[in-house]
Amino acid sequence: MPKSFVRRGVTLLTSVALIVASAPAPAAAQLDVPFTAEPIAAGLVAAGGVVRVAVPEAFGGKTVIGQLAVDGAREPGFITAYGCANGLPRDTTGQITRADLNYNGSITTTWSNRLIVQADGNGDICFYALTPVELIVDVNGVSFDTGISSFPNRRTDTRLTTSERAAGPVLAGTTLRMTVDAAVGGKTVIGQLAVDEVSDLGFVTAYPCAAGLPIDSVTAVNRADLNYIGTLAATWSNRLVVEADVNGEICFFTSATAQLIVDINGVTDAGITAFANRRTDTRTGAGRPGVGPVAAGATLRIQVPEAEGGRIVLGQLAVDNVQASGFVTAYPCADDIPVDVAGEIDRADLNYSGRVARTWSNRLIVAADANGEICLFSSASAEMIIDINGVSAIEGITPFPNRRTDTRFRAQPPPEPLPVDINGVPQWPPYVPFPALKGVAALTGLPASTKIAKRPILAVKVDNFRLARPQFGLDEADAVFELNVEGVTRFIALFHSNIPARLGPARSARTADLDLLAAMNRPIIAYSGANEGVSQWVTAAADSGVLVGFSAQSSPCYFREPTRPGPHDLLLDPTCVLANAPEAGPARPLWSIDAAWAPGALPSTRTSTFDVDMDGVDVTWKWNVGSRRYLRFQDGAPHLAEPDVPITASNVVLIESEHVPSPVDARSPNPISIGSGRAVVHRDGRAVPCIWSRPSPFDPFTFVDAASGNTIPLDVGVTFVELVRRL
């Protein structure tokens, strides 16, 4: 990749899953990334593949702001962004109805566009690729709930006949009018604007119909929302951000004949204030003293009075007369240009290549500094044309330092860690639980009553030392994690569907527990106690609403079993625990579940017996064809719970986890459950090798086939997860 394509060293983890889709490629996109002749790098997203990106700031379904680019394109295609849990947007025929970036590899291998997409409730966004590409996603802002309201995509396509008009292009110098009911009152409309079948140079200007076409003092149109070059390609697109009039109407003027394709998928509620377009044009001196291009490595400064106090500036960014490959980076002037730890610029708002075309443009969304100033750095000499036509209210869009997901790099980087206080205790972001699932048990995928679906996960730290066996209630857990501790293993048993009379023996918490518990939607963690360091970790997570701490040192509901020796005699009454923790959140899934799934052509092996390499205990699982369950054996004998009930599971998942010393006690191993690595899913009597991935502590586990990107779901029923040192 040439130096002119800006890169960033810090990235988020991604997971890839295959989604089979039959979808036509929408209009190819605007060229916004420089051409490269270098070969495709490792990490190509397969045709039909999906990349998942976690955006913790978008929890609750906020709208994510950023930049979307592809590299290594060799054929036409498109990228669709969507909230992962919401699924790919499709019409009644199953075709995908939204495109956030269109590309055509026959023109150039690299393309980009502004990203504006609603995350799902977990803060996850997914990116579907129609054809093989490298994917580069920059995330640098989210809207608050009062900012952008998203809704299912609505498309207007002049290539198709509708009840309003016959199929046919919008003629040169004429206007297409649209009504957006959700924008009545003059709200700002969010979407995607594309042209097709263009043969000349031209532009499209979007504006509130009642306000009239924006023109300057010499009656020239002074705003462009999409520039196109029909002599280079017939199809172009760009992100749409435009204010509607009081009737909810927006108009689209095209300077040359073009088919228009307009996707509308959101409006602002109160977050964005639009105003008459103001242009800074270095070709004419408009909005700045003097005429002439911005030199390579130089910066253009623009003052936006409405953005004083650090508001977000909205508009359009274009370059003209470029001769080389390069990029423009926009940033608040007082903050200086954003760079990574190596001193390289780590954000691009527009990429261009003079070898492909002289003019390029993209949507501009950038925070101003406290004085309302924005700066635009160009890596190569370029004329700049900046249209400013709106700002976000302070409560509308929240910017943060750019984070990049880049599939061009083979090695997945570590996730960004939580901030810590002076004692090294993680400081969790405030957590608000999501609503309960409807009619299904979150951990098993089996039908469940409303009462059960609303019940929280009760996570109990269960002893597995030989004097603690047989355990109480372990056979009724919906899921169990087995972790190495000091020379032996310990369980985190998750109870949701079934509530036994008593559980245990309960033992102490460990730092490794926190990353697993964070994905459970504010569960109750029941444990005997912890050392001072672990107690601080649990308290910090509880204070942020990530979990409910229920220690025997400070909580009721625990009692001693007189037939057991201490400290393996501490049991608890789960009904009492649930009654004393009303603030816990309802259970949420920790993995995808599909009873009908079969491996098909994926690599898998029929296995009747397999061993698991854990610390201090010999673990074996045996597949029982009659019950279609795996039976657990421990130290050569069946693993039983009181009173002599075998421990079984529908799924046994082996996850290879790096074990590091606990931050609070170097003698205690801390298995890592964030990131990615090798795994084996055992279900239906078959072993399926795969890759596990979790981008953040709040994410569920994803299991995918490494070669194809196919998701490997678990079967309905009980799941046992083994965090092993090696496979």
Side-chain angles (χ1 to χ4, degrees):
M1 201 64 189
K3 281 279 189 180
S4 58
F5 191 101
V6 66
R7 301 193 307 192
R8 174 174 168 78
V10 178
T11 70
L12 294 177
L13 292 168
T14 62
S15 60
V16 180
L18 183 68
I19 296 180
V20 179
S22 174
Q30 182 169 337
L31 290 167
D32 283 336
V33 189
F35 174 85
T36 175
E38 294 183 9
I40 298 174
L44 197 71
V45 179
V50 172
V51 171
R52 179 190 297 263
V53 176
V55 186
E57 295 86 352
F59 286 152
K62 294 179 181 178
T63 296
V64 175
I65 311 295
Q67 185 81 358
L68 169 63
V70 297
D71 191 11
R74 292 292 185 266
E75 54 189 309
F78 63 88
I79 302 293
T80 296
Y82 59 97
C84 299
N86 304 328
L88 262 169
R90 300 177 185 269
D91 61 19
T92 55
T93 68
Q95 292 186 332
I96 297 171
T97 59
R98 168 174 171 164
D100 291 81
L101 169 62
N102 296 279
Y103 52 85
N104 188 340
S106 62
I107 298 174
T108 177
T109 59
T110 48
W111 304 73
S112 73
N113 199 14
R114 178 58 65 184
L115 175 66
I116 304 176
V117 60
Q118 185 181 25
D120 64 19
N122 298 314
D124 289 342
I125 50 176
C126 280
F127 299 87
Y128 167 90
L130 182 70
T131 58
V133 288
E134 302 284 1
L135 191 66
I136 305 100
V137 180
D138 288 315
V139 173
N140 39 62
V142 297
S143 78
F144 274 95
D145 298 332
T146 57
I148 297 173
S149 299
S150 298
F151 45 74
N153 190 69
R154 303 167 192 167
R155 173 168 286 186
T156 297
D157 190 338
T158 64
R159 298 171 298 186
L160 307 175
T161 297
T162 66
S163 57
E164 285 79 25
R165 72 187 299 274
V170 180
L171 299 178
T174 65
T175 298
L176 174 70
R177 181 185 294 260
M178 285 181 56
T179 300
V180 182
D181 294 335
V184 170
K187 295 181 180 178
T188 297
V189 174
I190 309 296
Q192 185 81 359
L193 169 62
V195 295
D196 194 10
E197 300 178 12
V198 293
S199 56
D200 297 321
L201 278 70
F203 61 89
V204 177
T205 297
Y207 60 96
C209 297
L213 187 65
I215 57 177
D216 59 21
S217 57
V218 295
T219 69
V221 179
N222 69 349
R223 168 174 170 163
D225 291 83
L226 169 63
N227 296 282
Y228 51 84
I229 307 173
T231 55
L232 181 63
T235 49
W236 302 76
S237 71
N238 199 16
R239 179 58 65 183
L240 176 67
V241 181
V242 60
E243 185 182 23
D245 63 22
V246 293
N247 299 313
E249 291 189 320
I250 49 177
C251 283
F252 298 88
F253 167 88
T254 179
S255 65
T257 298
Q259 299 279 12
L260 292 186
I261 306 97
V262 183
D263 290 317
I264 302 298
N265 39 65
V267 299
T268 66
D269 195 2
I272 295 176
T273 301
F275 45 77
N277 189 70
R278 291 198 296 270
R279 173 167 286 187
T280 298
D281 190 338
T282 66
R283 299 171 302 183
T284 64
R288 69 188 289 267
V291 178
V294 177
T299 298
L300 175 66
R301 182 185 295 259
I302 299 176
Q303 213 274 334
V304 184
E306 295 86 350
E308 289 182 2
R311 296 184 176 182
I312 307 295
V313 174
L314 304 176
Q316 187 78 2
L317 166 63
V319 294
D320 194 9
N321 294 330
V322 292
Q323 307 297 321
S325 296
F327 61 89
V328 176
T329 296
Y331 60 96
C333 297
D335 293 352
D336 293 327
I337 195 163
V339 295
D340 61 19
V341 293
E344 293 185 357
I345 298 171
D346 67 354
R347 168 174 171 163
D349 292 82
L350 170 64
N351 295 280
Y352 52 82
S353 174
R355 291 174 289 176
V356 177
R358 295 176 59 195
T359 54
W360 304 75
S361 70
N362 199 14
R363 178 60 62 184
L364 176 66
I365 302 177
V366 60
D369 62 21
N371 299 315
E373 291 188 316
I374 58 172
C375 280
L376 299 111
F377 166 91
S378 181
S379 66
S381 176
E383 300 280 9
M384 282 196 196
I385 307 96
I386 317 297
D387 290 319
I388 303 296
N389 40 63
V391 296
S392 164
I394 293 175
E395 70 276 9
I397 297 176
T398 300
F400 45 77
N402 190 67
R403 294 198 296 268
R404 174 164 285 187
T405 297
D406 193 335
T407 67
R408 296 172 299 180
F409 302 112
R410 182 182 299 274
Q412 287 189 320
E416 295 189 2
L418 291 169
V420 297
D421 65 11
I422 59 174
N423 298 314
V425 178
Q427 300 301 292
W428 298 79
Y431 185 86
V432 178
F434 300 114
L437 302 182
K438 294 183 179 179
V440 64
L443 301 179
T444 66
L446 295 169
S449 66
T450 300
K451 179 180 179 181
I452 290 176
K454 290 182 177 180
R455 185 183 291 161
I457 293 173
L458 172 57
V460 183
K461 290 301 301 291
V462 177
D463 196 351
N464 194 33
F465 188 68
R466 59 182 180 81
L467 296 177
R469 309 168 193 163
Q471 291 90 357
F472 293 83
L474 189 62
D475 57 303
E476 296 192 59
D478 281 9
V480 179
F481 288 91
E482 184 170 19
L483 288 72
N484 294 311
V485 285
E486 299 83 13
V488 71
T489 66
R490 191 162 292 175
F491 303 120
I492 306 177
L494 309 182
F495 297 89
H496 177 237
S497 301
N498 305 307
I499 304 300
R502 52 184 180 168
L503 297 174
R507 290 305 302 270
S508 57
R510 295 289 188 272
T511 52
D513 303 342
L514 278 298
D515 282 342
L516 294 168
L517 294 165
M520 300 180 194
N521 202 41
R522 194 183 288 171
I524 306 166
I525 171 65
Y527 61 108
S528 62
N531 63 35
E532 182 178 357
V534 174
S535 294
Q536 290 177 338
W537 281 47
V538 174
T539 298
D543 289 345
S544 294
V546 172
L547 53 79
V548 176
F550 209 88
S551 167
Q553 296 173 325
S554 57
S555 306
C557 309
Y558 291 87
F559 57 95
R560 298 288 178 178
E561 168 53 48
T563 64
R564 297 292 179 90
H568 314 291
D569 58 346
L570 183 65
L571 306 186
L572 71 150
D573 176 352
T575 302
C576 174
V577 175
L578 293 171
N580 281 274
E583 67 274 29
R588 299 287 292 187
L590 296 180
W591 35 69
S592 62
I593 298 174
D594 184 354
W597 181 87
L602 295 184
S604 67
T605 305
R606 186 171 296 280
T607 53
S608 58
T609 302
F610 60 93
D611 297 325
V612 182
D613 186 11
M614 301 298 290
D615 291 359
V617 59
D618 294 328
V619 177
T620 299
W621 290 90
K622 296 183 179 181
W623 173 247
N624 184 289
V625 177
S627 66
R628 296 192 60 79
R629 305 268 286 189
Y630 293 95
L631 281 66
R632 180 179 164 94
F633 289 74
Q634 195 162 251
D635 293 336
H639 186 178
L640 305 176
E642 286 280 7
D644 295 334
V645 181
I647 302 297
T648 66
S650 297
N651 309 282
V652 180
V653 182
L654 278 56
I655 290 177
E656 188 173 71
S657 167
E658 180 184 5
H659 285 54
V660 299
S662 168
V664 302
D665 186 350
R667 298 169 299 176
S668 178
N670 190 109
I672 302 299
S673 61
I674 306 299
S676 66
R678 296 190 300 165
V680 179
V681 169
H682 291 269
R683 59 164 290 179
D684 304 311
R686 303 193 71 88
V688 188
C690 57
I691 299 296
W692 70 269
S693 178
R694 284 182 74 213
S696 81
F698 298 99
D699 284 304
F701 284 93
T702 300
F703 306 103
V704 299
D705 173 60
S708 68
N710 277 323
T711 296
I712 300 169
L714 305 188
D715 197 2
V716 295
V718 173
T719 296
F720 217 103
V721 179
E722 310 271 16
L723 291 174
V724 302
R725 293 180 183 272
R726 66 192 66 84
L727 286 175

